[in-house]
Amino acid sequence: MDLWIRLWMVIFILCILLFTGVAIYVGLGGLKDIKALFHKMNTSPKANTGHSDNSLKSKP
Amino acid sequence: MHLIPSNFGLLDWLIVFVYMTITLSVGLYVNKYIKNMEDYLVAGRALKTRLAVATMIGSELGLVTVMYSAQKGFTGGFAAFHIAVIAGLVTFIVGITGFIVVPLRRLGVMTIPEFYEKRFSRGVRVFGGLLLALAGVLNMGLFLKAGALFVTGLTGLTDTNSVAIVMTIMLGLVIAYTIMGGMVSVVVTDYIQFVVLSFGMILICGISVFALGWSTIVDTVISVHGESGFNPVLEGSGFGPTYIMWMIFTAGIVSCAVWQTSVMRACAAESVVVVRRMYMWSSIGFLIRFMVPQFLGICALTYFFNISEFRDLFFDKTGNPSNNPTITLQAMPLFLSQILPTGIIGLIGAGFLAAFMSTHDSYLLCWASVLTQDVIAPITNDKLTTKSRLIISRIFILVIGLFLLVWGFLYDLGQDLWDYMAVSGAIYFIGAFAVLSTGLYWKRASTVGAYLALVVGVGAVAGLGPVNKALNLEKYSSAEIGLSMTLVALVMMFIGSLVFPDRRRVE
């Protein structure tokens, strides 16, 4: 049981540290991506028929 | 449960109100960017990696996930961590290999049933779409109930009518901005939620460890669960090898590569490179979304076990956790209401409530889109205009919202919430896994095989608590039923495809 206790403690601490790093990276970078998203959607063409690309309709 | 007073005060309500107002305003504001159906459903396929990761984690890190994971931590101890580790590892592997999600993104589909039509037939798309939406709506049927339990536990509201009103207002707000803004508002509100919840959850973990002490937490789990509180492989731990296999399939493969809400994010990504990166980066989020709430559930166990006046509420006379799922679900929010100070509790509460709204918006949009694009549109031979599709999607969002109100307060849970979620989702994903994996990677997969696999998947309903009892199948766990049906679905897919190959392929 001691092995499991140590294992879960190490995994938990490592994951929290890793996630903190991801949260900072994604939190800061996500803002830039939102601006890029709005810019791209502003410059994209208007209405379509609601289909995705049906030219791909073929069996793999 | 209302015997326990909460630290939640007037300042906290104010924080919640301001937070909700900002989120709602942003959700409504981005409506101006919607020009067509692709913008509405997949944000114009313009998501870059970091935003895609934020929205993927933000959407999957919902209040319901937090509630059922905390319940698993409370009832299973540290052994429940295996679910988190599996979810993270499998998502990372899917990111490296691109299993299912990369070929789907290459095909340019918006929903999984759309792939069914490209690969098999329009009939498979309609049938698969209907199953997906029905299972999906059933799967989110208890979201409102879980949310209500959270609000009651955290805020100290005791009047059930007040809780019902709060939840209904929140659902109304979600429906409003989802109807208006589609995927763009979902993405932006997911981002806000990701930022608040990520740092909020890290903060709560720190406060909990500081308040309780790591050694007290470990000692309490040993007292309550013994070795089974740490070793998930141990028979009788409530988990065991079969359960772990079931988790590899459900919490691992399905939740990131087969579940429509995750696949929608892959479909909305800018390119397949972004899809792979998104999955690799999100893997830590998929792990944390289980692990941190499970840890909070363990902390709740520790807190209530060591205070004699509360122990009887959560534990039986032998010291085992209560068998009542409603009580074990409420342990985590009640714990937070005790240890978090005023101000912090309001911010965390607002974050979780935003998470509640965020999950709802994603799921509402997802199932309404599937019903519109994959059931109604094909039936009408794709004659619907973009405007008609948007109107139909919005009507479906409203109807599903009303269903949630009724189902959430009527259904008697009778099992852990996570197990309910896994089983109700399995009605769709067992068949879908067989159809997707063979359809993408096996040339001989046929339409008849696809139908057979989808029909077999419905058998997973036998794992739901009330159905399981009604069919007298209580000796079989939901994990055993789910895994068996998965194997049968794959076998039927192969047999159906070999015996009834598609005519076009034979010619």
Side-chain angles (χ1 to χ4, degrees):
Chain A
M1 186 164 66
D2 283 348
L3 182 68
W4 282 106
I5 293 172
R6 280 199 204 109
L7 178 73
W8 291 133
M9 186 180 77
V10 170
I11 287 177
F12 179 70
I13 292 169
L14 278 179
C15 289
I16 289 286
L17 291 175
L18 199 57
F19 184 65
T20 307
V22 171
I24 292 168
Y25 172 69
V26 171
L28 294 175
L31 264 182
K32 288 180 186 169
D33 288 355
I34 287 177
K35 284 180 191 165
L37 170 73
F38 289 163
H39 179 71
K40 187 168 180 179
M41 292 186 78
N42 258 338
T43 53
S44 68
K46 284 202 169 182
N48 63 15
T49 59
H51 303 287
S52 55
D53 184 4
N54 279 333
S55 64
L56 292 163
K57 185 174 172 59
S58 61
K59 301 214 171 195
Chain B
M1 288 299 120
H2 59 272
L3 297 171
I4 304 175
S6 167
N7 291 340
F8 205 94
L10 191 62
L11 175 67
D12 301 301
W13 278 115
L14 189 67
I15 291 171
V16 169
F17 178 77
V18 171
Y19 186 98
M20 291 292 169
T21 308
I22 292 172
T23 308
L24 182 66
S25 307
V26 171
L28 291 173
Y29 173 75
V30 298
N31 180 44
K32 69 176 188 172
Y33 293 99
I34 305 297
K35 297 194 195 92
N36 54 44
M37 198 65 183
E38 195 162 278
D39 288 348
Y40 188 74
L41 294 185
V42 286
R45 295 190 205 278
L47 295 195
K48 290 182 184 292
T49 305
R50 291 163 301 192
L51 185 57
V53 171
T55 184
M56 184 112 160
I57 298 176
S59 174
E60 298 303 322
L61 182 64
L63 175 59
V64 180
T65 309
V66 170
M67 288 291 279
Y68 67 62
S69 298
Q71 185 184 37
K72 269 292 171 209
F74 190 91
T75 57
F78 284 92
F81 276 8
H82 78 274
I83 301 172
V85 173
I86 286 170
L89 279 179
V90 174
T91 306
F92 190 75
I93 291 168
V94 167
I96 291 173
T97 60
F99 182 59
I100 294 180
V101 290
V102 163
L104 278 180
R105 176 62 189 87
R106 279 206 184 106
L107 283 170
V109 295
M110 285 196 270
T111 63
I112 288 172
E114 196 180 336
F115 162 74
Y116 294 166
E117 181 172 357
K118 284 180 189 288
R119 178 64 177 83
F120 299 105
S121 70
R122 178 156 287 198
V124 176
R125 177 181 187 172
V126 173
F127 183 56
L130 200 59
L131 269 186
L132 166 58
L134 289 177
V137 172
L138 192 65
N139 183 261
M140 70 184 296
L142 293 179
F143 282 15
L144 209 57
K145 182 171 186 168
L149 287 172
F150 177 81
V151 171
T152 326
L154 193 75
T155 62
L157 280 178
T158 54
D159 178 17
T160 49
N161 289 331
S162 309
V163 177
I165 290 167
V166 169
M167 304 313 291
T168 308
I169 291 171
M170 283 174 55
L171 189 60
L173 292 176
V174 178
I175 288 172
Y177 77 70
T178 309
I179 283 176
M180 297 294 290
M183 188 61 147
V184 185
S185 68
V186 168
V187 164
V188 176
T189 52
D190 276 353
Y191 169 78
I192 299 171
Q193 181 214 321
F194 167 81
V195 172
V196 173
L197 265 194
S198 299
F199 294 104
M201 292 210 313
I202 293 165
L203 179 69
I204 300 175
C205 282
I207 293 174
S208 301
V209 173
F210 183 75
L212 301 172
W214 183 264
S215 57
T216 310
I217 295 169
V218 171
D219 290 344
T220 306
V221 173
I222 293 171
S223 302
V224 175
H225 292 295
E227 188 179 350
S228 63
F230 298 91
N231 182 354
V233 186
L234 201 67
E235 289 291 352
S237 65
F239 300 113
T242 312
Y243 192 89
I244 292 173
M245 290 290 290
W246 179 232
M247 286 304 105
I248 291 172
F249 184 57
T250 54
I253 297 169
V254 168
S255 74
C256 73
V258 181
W259 197 236
Q260 176 64 28
T261 50
S262 300
V263 171
M264 261 181 109
R265 297 304 191 285
C267 295
E270 200 176 45
S271 64
V272 292
V273 176
V274 172
V275 172
R276 287 178 190 274
R277 277 192 208 144
M278 178 172 83
Y279 272 78
M280 284 190 273
W281 279 102
S282 296
S283 60
I284 183 69
F286 271 73
L287 186 154
I288 284 291
R289 78 179 180 128
F290 287 119
M291 187 173 275
V292 167
Q294 283 165 354
F295 181 69
L296 294 177
I298 295 168
C299 290
L301 175 98
T302 306
Y303 183 81
F304 292 118
F305 186 79
N306 290 305
I307 298 179
S308 55
E309 59 182 305
F310 295 150
R311 192 184 291 187
D312 291 346
L313 293 171
F314 296 94
F315 300 88
D316 61 22
K317 285 177 182 171
T318 56
N320 290 317
S322 167
N323 283 327
N324 185 338
T326 305
I327 288 175
T328 49
L329 262 177
Q330 226 173 359
M332 183 272 293
L334 280 167
F335 163 69
L336 295 184
S337 79
Q338 303 303 298
I339 63 148
L340 296 181
T342 301
I344 298 287
I345 196 173
L347 193 62
I348 298 298
F352 278 130
L353 290 177
F356 169 84
M357 293 167 76
S358 161
T359 308
H360 271 81
D361 62 26
S362 287
Y363 277 61
L364 283 170
L365 182 69
C366 179
W367 308 135
S369 309
V370 167
L371 285 168
T372 307
Q373 294 289 91
D374 301 314
V375 180
I376 303 296
I379 288 174
T380 58
N381 283 325
D382 285 332
K383 286 177 184 167
L384 293 174
T385 61
T386 297
K387 192 179 175 187
S388 310
R389 287 170 196 246
L390 284 171
I391 291 170
I392 293 169
S393 288
R394 287 165 174 166
I395 291 170
F396 274 127
I397 288 172
L398 194 62
V399 172
I400 295 169
L402 291 173
F403 167 80
L404 296 184
L405 267 181
V406 177
W407 184 259
F409 289 102
L410 286 184
Y411 183 83
D412 179 23
L413 185 54
Q415 63 192 138
D416 277 2
L417 182 58
W418 166 240
D419 296 322
Y420 167 87
M421 303 275 296
V423 174
S424 55
I427 295 165
Y428 147 74
F429 66 65
I430 283 178
F433 174 72
V435 176
L436 274 173
S437 54
T438 56
L440 287 167
Y441 298 105
W442 187 43
K443 285 183 180 175
R444 298 182 71 176
S446 78
T447 303
V448 173
Y451 274 121
L452 288 173
L454 289 171
V455 169
V456 167
V458 178
V461 76
L464 281 179
V467 182
N468 191 277
K469 275 182 194 166
L471 296 175
N472 207 18
L473 292 171
E474 287 168 278
K475 60 181 173 180
Y476 302 108
S477 68
S478 56
E480 288 168 334
I481 292 170
L483 282 174
S484 308
M485 299 313 288
T486 306
L487 283 176
V488 175
L490 279 168
V491 169
M492 293 311 287
M493 181 78 206
F494 283 115
I495 292 175
S497 300
L498 292 174
V499 177
F500 301 101
D502 282 343
R503 191 176 293 171
R504 212 185 324 174
R505 190 159 300 286
V506 173
E507 284 165 0

